[in-house]
Amino acid sequence: MNPVNRTMPAEIQDFYDRCTTGLANQDDTQACISFVKAELPRLLLNKALFMGLMENIVNRQGYPDAMRPTVFDNEIPLFVHPDGLFSLRLYLWGPEEFTYPHDHNSWGVLGAVSPGFEVINYRREDDGSREGFARLSESERFLLGAGETCHTLPFNDGIHITGNPDDSAVLSLNFYGRVLPRGYLYRFNIHKQRAYRVYPPRRKKEILAGQALEFLRRGL
């Protein structure tokens, strides 16, 4: 059982339990990705489950907690393993809404609940030796139908844009493995060939507070 959230729907709890068993002693990334790709479509195609989740969010009651702060404002955590082994996150996409280009600190399996979820992958052409500089080129793209998945990898091997090219709302469900200890993501500006560090909301506030404190001290 997941000790963090006892109001989790049975279908999500069952998926959590299967992943806990299937990934507990597995260190091979490709094997982990293959396991999740085999298991996730059962959730993705459960329309009644997601209708219930959307009703709870609209009515501001029950599971999931849509108010929890996250790096992306359309992201809703559905569960996070207490030992950091994995997490499952729901994403709500408005018409023609995309993320900025970014990387990840873990491997992940990205799945479409509704058709039309797009993933655009990029290749990093520079060696990363210049802080703040990055040169990217598009390598591939996927337009996923309901129940379909693709995967991402950590750091430079997982730079992508995800989103919704259509004119109606789209849902995606992403499963991520253990987070590697870097502490931030990179956000990229493709046209300006720039890379910016993006911190989790709590850490960002700590960093900005520290910078403000140094500024105030200089004025004393």
Side-chain angles (χ1 to χ4, degrees), residues 9-140:
E11 300 94 331
I12 298 180
Q13 181 68 63
D14 180 60
F15 177 70
Y16 174 92
D17 293 340
R18 295 199 309 274
C19 291
T20 298
T21 301
L23 301 177
N25 298 310
Q26 181 57 264
D27 295 324
D28 182 77
T29 296
Q30 290 302 326
C32 291
I33 289 172
S34 295
F35 176 86
V36 176
K37 280 190 169 185
E39 295 286 342
L40 190 59
R42 191 185 311 181
L43 274 187
L44 296 172
L45 295 172
N46 190 335
K47 184 177 180 179
L49 169 65
F50 289 97
M51 288 180 64
L53 295 178
M54 295 306 101
E55 289 176 356
N56 286 352
I57 292 171
V58 169
N59 295 323
R60 299 183 182 181
Q61 62 183 19
Y63 175 96
D65 179 10
M67 298 297 105
R68 181 175 175 177
T70 56
V71 171
F72 298 100
D73 61 8
N74 66 333
E75 177 184 77
I76 301 173
L78 296 187
F79 60 60
V80 178
H81 190 276
D83 295 327
L85 184 61
F86 52 72
S87 65
L88 183 68
R89 299 168 186 273
L90 179 66
Y91 294 84
L92 311 175
W93 304 97
E96 301 182 358
E97 183 175 42
F98 284 83
T99 64
Y100 46 75
H102 63 280
D103 66 5
H104 281 278
N105 294 340
S106 66
W107 61 265
V109 176
L110 320 179
V113 176
S114 45
F117 175 55
E118 187 168 34
V119 180
I120 306 170
N121 291 328
Y122 290 88
R123 180 186 304 107
R124 186 160 185 175
E125 304 290 357
D126 67 293
D127 63 6
S129 61
R130 291 171 55 189
E131 180 64 31
F133 174 82
R135 185 171 63 251
L136 306 181
S137 63
E138 182 178 329
S139 58
E140 58 185 345

Side-chain angles (χ1 to χ4, degrees), residues 122-184:
Y122 290 88
R123 180 186 304 107
R124 186 160 185 175
E125 304 290 357
D126 67 293
D127 63 6
S129 61
R130 291 171 55 189
E131 180 64 31
F133 174 82
R135 185 171 63 251
L136 306 181
S137 63
E138 182 178 329
S139 58
E140 58 185 345
R141 63 174 62 202
F142 303 93
L143 187 62
L144 302 180
E148 294 182 338
T149 65
C150 63
H151 71 273
T152 191
L153 294 170
F155 307 147
N156 287 340
D157 292 327
I159 299 172
H160 62 202
I161 293 173
T162 57
N164 172 22
D166 207 346
D167 57 1
S168 59
V170 166
L171 297 178
S172 68
L173 188 65
N174 296 0
F175 184 100
Y176 295 105
R178 186 182 298 278
V179 175
L180 299 176
R182 183 173 63 172
Y184 55 86

